[in-house]
Amino acid sequence: MKENKVKINESSKPLKRLATLILGIFLFIFIINCYFIYLCNDCNINSQSMVIKRKWRKLFNLSKPVDWVILGDSSCTCGIDEKYFELRMNKSATNLCTVGNSLILGDYLMLEYLIKNIGVPKNVLIVHVYDIWERNFDITCYSEIPFKYGYWNNLIPLGLSNLNNLIKLHIVQYLPIYSKNITLRRIAENAIYKNKKHKNIMLKDGSTRGEANPEEVLKDAELHIQKLRIIENFSISKINREYMEKIFQLSEKYQFKVYLINGPMYNGLYSDSGFQNYFQQVEGELLLVSNKYPNVKYIPSNKLKLLFDKNQMSNSDHVAKTVVKPLTRKIVQVLKKEQL
Amino acid sequence: MLFNSITFVVFFLLIYVLYLFFQKDLDLQNYLLLIASYVFYSWLNWNILFLLLYLTVLNFLTGKLIYKANDKNKGLILGLSIFLSLITLFYFKYFNFFSQNAEHLLNIFGFHIKQVILNIALPIGISFYTFQKIGYTVDVYRNKIKPSSDFIQFALFGSFFPQLVAGPIERSSNLLPQIEKPRVIKLNYIDEGIFLILWGYFKKLVIADNLRFVSDQVFNDFLNYQGVDIILATFAFTIQIYCDFSGYTDIARGVAKLMGFDLMLNFNLPYFVKSPSEFWSKWHISLSTWFRDYLYIPLGGNKESKWKTFRNLMVTMFLGGLWHGARWNYVLWGCYHGLLLIIYRMIGKEKSVSQNSNKSTVINIIQMLLMFILIAFGLLIFRVESIKQLIHMILSIGIAFSSHSQEFLMCLIACSLPLFVIQIIQYKKNDLMFLTKLSNVVRIPVYSILLISIIVFHAGESIEFIYFKF
């Protein structure tokens, strides 16, 4: 078998041949990468990316102010039915909840855009699961926001301007071949496996709906409990505290009401003593901050009781699609009672 | 440091820039490569560097002593050198195995002794570099080469980072002269190097690491699998281990080529073979030829009686199996291949296979398929954790499909197809490097697809190469 000592034809100009090869590879990959940008632009396999993109597009398409704006994480992306909320509340509403890693900063960015470009809402409902409050800033989520090129200049005052973050942001947005390789891999796997290995139920507006998965609920709850055994004291992360206060300050400035609630939860997790120890600290802190602002109301979980059985949930803090309406109804009932 | 880590990519780029910068000064280049090799080897545990240094000094000194000694003393020094090298290997790799087995054996005869277990980690690549250094000393003894007069050059020979931890086990006659003389980085070497690196990473990260999900799932949870799943997992492991190991070798050879070195070929389409002896001439060539030259031939090879040839084959394959690790299944795997070699010789298939290469394609394909199945069965023995597991898995082989079978089969096909397509062309063209000779119109999309596949379809975390543990 011929292996080494390859004779390259001298007349083929090896240097030119090698240079063409390397440049050609770069060009080829550039073209494929452009195609991947197009492919990942509206592909529901990467649910985090698509929830953020679709919810922001929904915000951009809003034409008039609404009575209720719902902000928060994936627990209400999959848990609150906007139409049903409107029906029960008899007011206009929009569900703009995205994902937990967007933090309160994500809520703030949406609210700020809404106020500046569409109009001031009358009420804002913020729903978050208990464990987002300690989380810190991750540029990935903000890289998915479908602003026009250069939008990050507007984020400089928010501290997003450091070089690392800007590089990461560009990689997420413009180099999907690297940053979205798992999504691309799943697209390929779906093409290979007839039974569509990776599927998410995602509505056009970015809301999601999950199936009940009692096994996953138990597993997930156990992970939460184990994690909480390590954490001794709760404290809200700097970025969450800063932007929570900014939202509350906006409520004073523009005179709208803010209702802050915890997301739904598996009752087995809620009744765990370790969890309770941590959760009471969360509630205490949130109450302390919200009490400083007259337009803000924190509704503690003992009033809301958004607790569900494992057969009604897809994991420990995400309800199954069968419970979306009861959950929405419950929230509306409490909000009506609590309205300032 | 793993080839399949970003750390290595950055490390190599830095070293390569410096290497090119020192191109006119051989000594500086060799110093650089030696330091780089030691950093590469001791990246996670610097203690093991002492072991490498010890074996380097030992073989460097004994090489010199052998060269100066008279015929009588030569043998003694060689024996001592080999003994000291092998005892080190034994201590790190085989002590616990022998201790455990000795205890079991003595228990059978009613002697109860306290087992001595050493709590030591196996130094990565120890078998590879120990054998490479022993090979050097034997070559000096046989007057095939002169001993190296420059310690730095010899130390680099014994620790050259591309091939240090998983081979190829280089011969002193091939690598040492390349270290001693100025190297010229030819454009065709760069061209070939790029292909080898891309193809090596593709085999490791895309094929081997993805097939690992099938083989690990079944082998690690074998009680819950049976029927076709066992067969699929065995085939998956057969492809996986080849792509893992040959992928490493390709990367090693590619990286070396970029620096102007030409390392020996280690795999030459080993699954396109019709007999066990052909397989061993194409699988892990650097090890099989090592055993041939330094063990099988000194034992007498096939020059004596038929039975002595069989004995020599069995001893060589037994030790070849043991080389892989201190486990009975490796020994059994070696013996299985020894037995295959003997059976093929006994029924005269070795000759008929080599003489009948002009037979019809169908017969050739049947012979290859049979050999592939025999190799795969051998790798089932190789992969199991215990003899009990082996028996259970063999007894569980059947034709029953499970809910996982379709997914396993799809994964096996999807991962193996690109390998099969490229290798069938390599086989037909009788040229492993055929891609480097094609026009850029073909090479650009093929190389780009390989690169994109590596980025998109790599299995995630950096997974250690299988042969690192040997």
Side-chain angles (χ1 to χ4, degrees):
Chain A
M1 181 92 30
K2 283 178 266 175
E3 220 291 324
N4 305 315
K5 319 299 188 268
V6 181
K7 284 179 191 163
I8 297 274
N9 185 355
E10 290 305 321
S11 65
S12 69
K13 296 176 185 168
L15 185 61
K16 192 179 160 195
R17 184 178 143 87
L18 189 62
T20 317
L21 175 72
I22 292 166
L23 285 173
I25 291 172
F26 273 107
L27 184 67
F28 193 97
I29 289 177
F30 174 78
I31 294 166
I32 296 291
N33 187 63
C34 290
Y35 172 67
F36 284 166
I37 291 175
Y38 164 76
L39 195 68
C40 293
N41 192 39
D42 196 40
C43 161
N44 69 1
I45 284 175
N46 183 341
S47 54
Q48 172 166 296
S49 161
M50 276 325 298
V51 166
I52 295 169
K53 281 196 167 81
R54 287 188 183 180
K55 286 300 175 97
W56 273 90
R57 282 182 198 138
K58 185 179 177 184
L59 174 60
F60 295 154
N61 290 332
L62 273 181
S63 53
K64 54 182 183 182
V66 285
D67 295 319
W68 282 88
V69 173
I70 306 161
L71 299 170
D73 54 38
S74 55
S75 66
C76 53
T77 300
C78 73
I80 296 181
D81 182 334
E82 172 187 294
K83 296 287 168 211
Y84 194 63
F85 187 97
E86 283 183 324
L87 189 76
R88 304 290 303 190
M89 194 61 99
N90 201 21
K91 302 276 182 195
S92 62
T94 185
N95 181 349
L96 296 176
C97 295
T98 55
V99 295
N101 282 342
S102 284
L103 309 180
I104 301 295
L105 170 60
D107 302 343
Y108 172 79
L109 290 173
M110 283 184 139
L111 190 58
E112 191 195 36
Y113 181 91
L114 188 81
I115 291 168
K116 275 188 187 165
N117 298 286
I118 292 138
V120 181
K122 288 186 181 135
N123 303 281
V124 174
L125 170 65
I126 300 175
V127 190
H128 279 293
V129 293
Y130 80 95
D131 70 345
I132 71 113
W133 297 103
E134 283 197 290
R135 290 187 205 175
N136 283 307
F137 175 70
D138 175 6
I139 190 74
T140 315
C141 288
Y142 308 97
S143 312
E144 301 288 0
I145 301 174
F147 283 134
K148 283 181 182 161
Y149 188 83
Y151 74 89
W152 45 89
N153 291 326
N154 301 324
L155 305 179
I156 288 172
L158 306 178
L160 309 187
S161 62
N162 87 42
L163 187 64
N164 268 349
N165 280 336
L166 275 182
I167 292 171
K168 203 170 172 186
L169 185 143
H170 277 78
I171 289 173
V172 171
Q173 287 224 332
Y174 305 109
L175 209 59
I177 199 169
Y178 174 75
S179 63
K180 299 220 166 55
N181 60 344
I182 295 171
T183 307
L184 296 168
R185 185 194 169 99
R186 287 177 176 176
I187 292 171
E189 282 177 352
N190 272 357
I192 294 170
Y193 299 107
K194 280 182 187 166
N195 59 351
K196 303 286 179 200
K197 210 177 170 193
H198 309 283
K199 51 185 175 187
N200 286 308
I201 302 173
M202 189 177 290
L203 309 180
K204 276 185 183 172
D205 76 338
S207 296
T208 55
R209 296 290 179 261
E211 299 288 341
N213 190 347
E215 278 178 24
E216 177 58 31
V217 174
L218 292 175
K219 217 189 290 174
D220 190 39
E222 186 52 38
L223 285 176
H224 279 271
I225 290 165
Q226 278 176 11
K227 200 174 83 181
L228 293 178
R229 281 194 193 119
I230 306 163
I231 305 168
E232 286 185 356
N233 292 311
F234 165 77
S235 65
I236 301 176
S237 65
K238 193 175 164 240
I239 192 158
N240 272 334
R241 183 179 290 277
E242 189 181 341
Y243 286 95
M244 179 164 61
E245 299 240 19
K246 281 195 174 178
I247 289 175
F248 295 171
Q249 284 158 9
L250 284 177
S251 76
E252 298 303 311
K253 188 176 171 186
Y254 294 101
Q255 285 302 305
F256 59 83
K257 312 289 182 199
V258 176
Y259 299 89
L260 179 62
I261 64 170
N262 288 296
M265 181 178 329
Y266 163 51
N267 51 21
L269 175 64
Y270 186 76
S271 58
D272 179 81
S273 60
F275 174 82
Q276 273 302 321
N277 181 34
Y278 180 84
F279 189 60
Q280 278 168 16
Q281 293 181 62
V282 177
E283 294 221 290
E285 280 276 317
L286 294 179
L287 197 61
L288 208 65
V289 182
S290 51
N291 277 347
K292 290 196 285 184
Y293 300 88
N295 281 338
V296 179
K297 178 83 182 171
Y298 174 66
I299 308 173
S301 56
N302 57 1
K303 273 194 183 174
L304 265 169
K305 293 227 165 47
L306 303 180
L307 305 174
F308 296 91
D309 187 67
K310 65 180 183 202
N311 297 315
Q312 296 174 303
M313 308 205 65
S314 52
N315 66 31
S316 64
D317 45 22
H318 290 71
V319 293
K321 62 183 180 188
T322 49
V323 189
V324 173
K325 280 191 177 171
L327 171 66
T328 310
R329 190 166 56 233
K330 214 168 186 180
I331 291 172
V332 170
Q333 277 170 1
V334 175
L335 286 175
K336 276 183 172 173
K337 273 188 202 167
E338 291 287 336
Q339 273 193 324
L340 299 167
Chain B
M1 201 182 289
L2 294 175
F3 275 177
N4 51 334
S5 66
I6 295 293
T7 317
F8 174 75
V9 176
V10 175
F11 166 83
F12 177 67
L13 288 176
L14 279 174
I15 297 300
Y16 195 50
V17 170
L18 286 171
Y19 184 81
L20 295 177
F21 188 70
F22 298 147
Q23 210 180 350
K24 286 181 181 166
D25 192 325
L26 177 69
D27 287 341
L28 268 178
Q29 272 192 338
N30 285 345
Y31 273 115
L32 173 74
L33 289 180
L34 183 63
I35 292 166
S37 299
Y38 284 166
V39 170
F40 174 87
Y41 188 59
S42 56
W43 189 252
L44 292 177
N45 178 8
W46 60 269
N47 285 323
I48 54 174
L49 198 56
F50 291 108
L51 178 66
L52 183 63
L53 277 169
Y54 156 71
L55 288 169
T56 304
V57 172
L58 171 73
N59 285 281
F60 178 72
L61 292 178
T62 48
K64 274 180 169 298
L65 287 173
I66 287 168
Y67 189 68
K68 285 176 189 165
N70 58 36
D71 281 353
K72 192 184 162 194
N73 290 340
K74 263 174 131 176
L76 273 175
I77 301 166
L78 175 71
L80 186 68
S81 174
I82 293 174
F83 174 76
L84 288 173
S85 297
L86 288 181
I87 202 77
T88 312
L89 181 64
F90 176 86
Y91 175 77
F92 283 98
K93 194 165 176 174
Y94 301 101
F95 184 87
N96 288 344
F97 175 70
F98 279 95
S99 168
Q100 281 166 354
N101 282 289
E103 192 221 1
H104 288 156
L105 199 66
L106 288 170
N107 276 346
I108 291 169
F109 291 106
F111 299 102
H112 295 281
I113 56 155
K114 199 183 168 199
Q115 198 183 102
V116 182
I117 294 289
L118 297 174
N119 190 18
I120 41 172
L122 180 67
I124 193 167
I126 184 170
S127 304
F128 288 92
Y129 59 73
T130 305
F131 270 46
Q132 181 162 317
K133 289 177 179 71
I134 291 174
Y136 160 83
T137 314
V138 177
D139 285 348
V140 173
Y141 172 81
R142 289 176 176 172
N143 289 324
K144 278 179 78 177
I145 53 158
K146 283 186 177 176
S148 176
S149 54
D150 184 324
F151 180 73
I152 298 298
Q153 288 175 351
F154 180 75
L156 181 56
F157 162 74
S159 66
F160 186 44
F161 73 86
Q163 50 86 232
L164 173 65
V165 289
I169 302 168
E170 271 298 333
R171 296 308 168 80
S172 47
S173 54
N174 181 45
L175 186 56
L176 257 177
Q178 296 184 61
I179 291 171
E180 288 164 354
K181 287 178 193 156
R183 293 161 294 264
V184 181
I185 302 173
K186 298 171 198 158
L187 282 171
N188 65 326
Y189 266 35
I190 295 177
D191 210 334
E192 288 175 17
I194 290 170
F195 167 70
L196 284 170
I197 292 170
L198 267 180
W199 184 229
Y201 274 118
F202 180 83
K203 282 197 281 187
K204 164 65 182 162
L205 299 175
V206 180
I207 303 177
D209 287 356
N210 281 302
L211 282 175
R212 172 181 157 265
F213 293 120
V214 176
S215 61
D216 278 7
Q217 201 170 324
V218 176
F219 279 94
N220 295 347
D221 189 18
F222 65 96
L223 291 173
N224 289 321
Y225 291 92
Q226 56 184 339
V228 169
D229 290 349
I230 307 274
I231 298 171
L232 292 174
T234 305
F235 284 143
F237 183 68
T238 306
I239 306 292
Q240 181 202 344
I241 194 167
Y242 167 67
C243 287
D244 191 284
F245 193 15
S246 71
Y248 178 92
T249 308
D250 284 351
I251 300 166
R253 295 183 68 234
V255 164
K257 281 212 181 232
L258 293 185
M259 296 188 287
F261 288 91
D262 189 12
L263 299 182
M264 71 183 290
L265 185 67
N266 214 13
F267 291 90
N268 188 1
L269 308 179
Y271 293 158
F272 288 75
V273 293
K274 290 173 269 180
S275 71
S277 65
E278 198 186 357
F279 171 71
W280 282 106
S281 68
K282 293 178 175 213
W283 172 273
H284 202 175
I285 299 166
S286 64
L287 179 72
S288 54
T289 52
W290 194 101
F291 273 109
R292 182 197 64 199
D293 295 344
Y294 301 113
L295 183 67
Y296 179 68
I297 291 174
L299 282 173
N302 57 2
K303 299 288 174 217
E304 293 178 52
S305 71
K306 192 166 77 175
W307 295 108
K308 278 194 175 169
T309 303
F310 293 166
R311 180 204 66 187
N312 296 343
L313 280 171
M314 205 41 126
V315 169
T316 307
M317 295 316 293
F318 169 85
L319 290 172
L322 196 60
W323 177 90
H324 285 80
R327 279 204 337 226
W328 282 115
N329 63 309
Y330 293 141
V331 175
L332 194 60
W333 173 74
C335 293
Y336 167 78
H337 271 281
L339 206 61
L340 282 185
L341 286 163
I342 292 169
I343 293 169
Y344 265 69
R345 268 180 187 270
M346 281 173 84
I347 59 175
K349 278 280 171 195
E350 291 294 2
K351 274 186 186 169
S352 66
V353 160
S354 55
Q355 283 166 0
N356 295 327
S357 53
N358 292 331
K359 268 188 179 174
S360 77
T361 315
V362 179
I363 293 174
N364 281 337
I365 291 172
I366 290 170
Q367 283 178 332
M368 279 186 192
L369 279 175
L370 174 67
M371 198 54 221
F372 181 75
I373 291 166
L374 290 172
I375 294 165
F377 183 76
L379 287 167
L380 170 69
I381 301 171
F382 188 92
R383 175 62 180 81
V384 293
E385 300 286 328
S386 64
I387 304 298
K388 204 174 152 189
Q389 181 182 356
L390 176 66
I391 294 165
H392 182 93
M393 287 185 80
I394 291 171
L395 293 177
S396 304
I397 290 174
I399 50 165
F401 280 77
S402 76
S403 56
H404 299 283
S405 304
Q406 191 197 356
E407 196 178 325
F408 289 167
L409 183 65
M410 294 304 282
C411 183
L412 184 59
I413 293 171
C415 291
S416 310
L417 198 63
L419 178 78
F420 184 71
V421 170
I422 295 282
Q423 295 215 325
I424 205 96
I425 303 171
Q426 288 175 324
Y427 181 76
K428 281 275 170 200
K429 284 185 175 277
N430 194 27
D431 185 359
L432 291 178
M433 306 297 284
F434 80 95
L435 261 169
T436 62
K437 293 160 199 165
L438 296 178
S439 133
N440 275 345
V441 178
V442 180
R443 291 204 304 165
I444 288 168
V446 172
Y447 283 27
S448 303
I449 289 166
L450 287 178
L451 190 57
I452 292 166
S453 303
I454 292 165
I455 300 167
V456 174
F457 296 114
H458 72 86
E461 63 209 287
S462 293
I463 299 161
E464 200 175 86
F465 289 85
I466 295 173
Y467 263 70
F468 274 19
K469 62 184 173 207
F470 305 140

